[in-house]
Amino acid sequence: YPGRFERAIAAVKAEEFDLVLHGGDMTESGLSDEIDDFATLARGLKRRPLTVPGNHDVGGKVHPEQKSPVDAARVAAHETRYGRSWWSRTIHKVRVVGINSPILGSGLDAEARQWRFLERELSRADAPPTVLLTHFPLFLKDPDE
């Protein structure tokens, strides 16, 4: 994976940009050396990318056929290195809200805290136009699934 990131970062560095968003899977297995590798590579950018974790970073999402391997320890390790795994930033009059989608449906304490954050953040009447950054799609076929 480091070679792919090196090529991607080189391509981004070759362009003018105001913002880099990374939708997760900064690592292959969520291991601390992989977390450090991505952080080192990302330092080559002129601005720190805004990231959200993916299933390779903190564990897989919950779906009926399997128990989620996402756990509090992996979320904590990710947040120790990258900061909170859900957040809101306003950049150039656009709000970017990032969420930790692998924890949705997990029952972890972090999931409840993230839902409270989203309810507060998305109910703001004074908010600028908003982009939601997530690793997983919100639904596959139907918004009610």
Side-chain angles (χ1 to χ4, degrees), residues 53-114:
N55 55 305
H56 287 263
D57 304 313
V58 298
K61 65 182 175 178
V62 175
H63 57 82
E65 294 82 35
Q66 75 176 24
K67 181 174 172 18
S68 175
V70 67
D71 65 43
R74 288 184 73 177
V75 172
H78 177 86
E79 290 185 342
T80 295
R81 190 64 176 101
Y82 296 115
R84 183 166 240 172
S85 59
W86 63 86
W87 43 263
S88 177
R89 306 280 189 287
T90 299
I91 300 162
H92 301 294
K93 299 181 183 178
V94 174
R95 176 177 61 167
V96 181
V97 175
I99 65 168
N100 182 342
S101 57
I103 67 172
L104 296 175
S106 68
L108 294 174
D109 290 340
E111 178 189 8
R113 290 192 311 273
Q114 179 175 255

